[in-house]
Amino acid sequence: MIKQLIATSRPLTSVFAAILTVVGFRFFHPVPVVLTALSALAFAGITASIMSFNDYVDRHHDRKKGKNFASENTQEFTRYWGMLSGATALILVAVSVINPLSGIFCFGVWIVGLFYSFVPHWYLVQNLIVAICSGSPVLVGMINNGHVAGSPLWIFGAFVFIVFCREVCKD
């Protein structure tokens, strides 16, 4: 049961979000190690929370595809998502104490990512939301630094484009 719950949060995708966050901070010197680590953990948690939440919201639709875990284990699922989101919120509070704008940005991405689950199936809108949320971790370092920098924006743009294309092809 625990393995299946953890799988709903897409651990590898969460790790990738954390790595992308660290990459974004590396363009600015000095690199604030504590904020970088907390932001990476926050984005890993945000990603995991969004993924699990989406599985929960889609549970009735997924049943038609033979994916029954979320619909058959709603109580455990909601408890897991609540603990995951609570831990993520605590990390975001720490990020916000160090840099309020970074915390607000991360929280905003989290809200937009959760909102994805309620957007009607507008073909390109959902794909764009996924792409923007997926690329956004690289921008936290720039927000922390307080000025626009080309390299993180290029990485963000490239990542948004790649994820968007993948989402369009997948759908």
Side-chain angles (χ1 to χ4, degrees):
M1 170 77 69
I2 300 282
K3 271 181 134 175
Q4 289 175 299
L5 287 169
I6 291 171
T8 66
S9 58
R10 315 302 191 284
L12 289 177
T13 304
S14 298
V15 168
F16 190 75
I19 291 168
L20 195 57
T21 305
V22 172
V23 167
F25 272 96
R26 299 286 298 161
F27 290 106
F28 303 97
H29 297 286
V31 175
V33 177
V34 173
L35 182 60
T36 302
L38 286 171
S39 298
L41 284 173
F43 257 108
I46 288 166
T47 302
S49 171
I50 291 168
M51 297 291 194
S52 290
F53 185 75
N54 183 258
D55 277 3
Y56 180 75
V57 171
D58 284 350
R59 69 191 181 282
H60 300 298
H61 178 69
D62 287 347
R63 246 186 122 79
K64 296 173 191 171
K65 300 178 197 175
K67 299 177 185 177
N68 300 326
F69 180 71
S71 61
E72 292 175 356
N73 300 287
T74 56
Q75 190 173 26
E76 292 84 0
F77 211 95
T78 55
R79 191 175 310 127
Y80 172 73
W81 183 78
M83 290 186 318
L84 178 62
S85 297
T88 301
L90 287 175
I91 296 166
L92 269 181
V93 167
V95 168
S96 296
V97 167
I98 297 170
N99 186 293
L101 284 178
S102 295
I104 290 167
F105 175 76
C106 294
F107 183 72
V109 171
W110 194 6
I111 295 302
V112 170
L114 292 174
F115 176 71
Y116 162 87
S117 296
F118 300 107
V119 172
H121 290 285
W122 298 334
Y123 180 55
L124 296 177
V125 174
Q126 285 185 315
N127 300 17
L128 192 57
I129 291 170
V130 169
I132 290 170
C133 288
S134 296
S136 64
V138 77
L139 300 177
V140 183
M142 187 175 72
I143 290 167
N144 173 65
N145 205 283
H147 75 274
V148 176
S151 295
L153 286 175
W154 278 106
I155 292 171
F156 172 75
F159 201 79
V160 168
F161 178 75
I162 291 166
V163 172
F164 181 76
C165 289
R166 180 188 172 280
E167 289 293 312
V168 169
C169 289
K170 187 182 77 166
D171 288 348

